[in-house]
Amino acid sequence: MSSKRKIVFSLGILLVLAVCLLGLIAGSFLFLPRFLESRLHPQLIEATGISDIAFNVRRVGFFGADLGGIRIGGLPNPALLIRSVQLDYAPGGLYHKKIDRVVLSGIEVRGQLENGKIFSNDIDLQKVLSTLQSRQKAPPSTGQPPAPVMVKRLEIRNAAAILKINNRSYRIPFEIDITPENSEYTLFEAGARLYPRGQEINSRGRIDLSRRQIHLETEIAALNLSRFSDLFGLAGDISASGQVGLTATA
């Protein structure tokens, strides 16, 4: 075989291999989301004890992934709805179960207040907590337990808590940022901003998992009490007006 034929033959093999590799990568991106859904869905049901869970994986790439339509609870008003989940990571970090950033947006959390207690729609929160605690206390069946996934930053955007009181719904928009302060992921810095009736309430806190402690600082500047007159009325013949500034720690 001449040198030219050898070169052409080698280039042809390389071209076929390149096409096969691109086809394999494209097929992985097409079928990987469905594969992840089929694996994650039963694991979430087992971990939480909640059977009514729905979600879809929209995109999985080398440097990020997008999930959408996460729903817990029945329609039309599920207990939790997350319209978008964005994961940012590097391939090396993902291999070591480390994610750079998680952004949750379009969130609605629904509940109702009865007899001084908050209940979540269609979900027994006490049962869910008991299930999670029992799984944490249970010894692993074989070998060492899998290492948890570490998130360097969690952002919650465009979120709202919807609370029903006396058949009337109250909506409280909020945003949250959580970042770890140590490599062991036992100490976290958290910031929250609430906007009830268009009023801003800022809170910052530190979460210490090792000591099971939370330190919280809240600041309210020029809160217009007249916007909450209907809520004061729920407690009896009470009215309030004017503006209030408040700084508190807990």
Side-chain angles (χ1 to χ4, degrees), residues 48-62:
T48 62
I50 302 173
S51 58
D52 198 349
I53 298 178
F55 70 97
N56 66 84
V57 181
R58 293 189 293 219
R59 180 186 66 87
V60 178
F62 289 111

Side-chain angles (χ1 to χ4, degrees), residues 2 16 25 32-33 38 42 44 57-58 67 71 83 90 98-99 139 144 146 161 172 178 186 197 202 214 217 245:
S2 64
V16 171
I25 294 175
L32 187 58
S38 64
L44 287 174
V57 181
R58 293 189 293 219
L67 289 76
R71 174 180 58 82
R83 292 182 174 84
K98 292 184 179 180
I99 297 177
Q144 296 294 327
I172 305 175
I178 300 178
T186 59
R197 304 288 175 87
N202 287 306
I214 297 178
E217 297 180 358

Side-chain angles (χ1 to χ4, degrees), residues 17-30:
L17 291 176
V19 171
C20 292
L21 179 60
L22 290 175
L24 181 61
I25 294 175
S28 299
F29 285 137
L30 288 175

Side-chain angles (χ1 to χ4, degrees), residues 71-81 108 110 121-122 162 164:
R71 174 180 58 82
I72 298 179
L75 295 172
N77 297 318
L80 174 63
L81 177 64
E108 290 184 355
R110 295 180 180 269
N121 294 1
D122 302 327
I162 303 173
K164 180 180 287 188

Side-chain angles (χ1 to χ4, degrees), residues 59-147:
R59 180 186 66 87
V60 178
F62 289 111
F63 298 96
D66 292 324
L67 289 76
I70 299 178
R71 174 180 58 82
I72 298 179
L75 295 172
N77 297 318
L80 174 63
L81 177 64
I82 305 176
R83 292 182 174 84
S84 174
V85 179
Q86 178 183 341
L87 308 178
D88 296 332
Y89 50 76
L94 187 62
Y95 177 78
H96 293 94
K97 294 189 175 183
K98 292 184 179 180
I99 297 177
D100 295 329
R101 187 177 66 150
V102 175
V103 181
L104 311 179
S105 60
I107 300 176
E108 290 184 355
V109 183
R110 295 180 180 269
Q112 53 188 356
L113 180 64
E114 294 181 3
N115 300 323
K117 295 183 179 181
I118 297 179
F119 299 89
S120 182
N121 294 1
D122 302 327
I123 293 179
D124 188 341
L125 294 178
Q126 188 61 42
K127 182 179 178 181
V128 173
L129 291 175
S130 299
T131 302
L132 294 174
Q133 289 175 355
S134 62
R135 285 180 58 86
Q136 290 177 353
K137 294 178 181 179
S141 55
T142 56
Q144 296 294 327

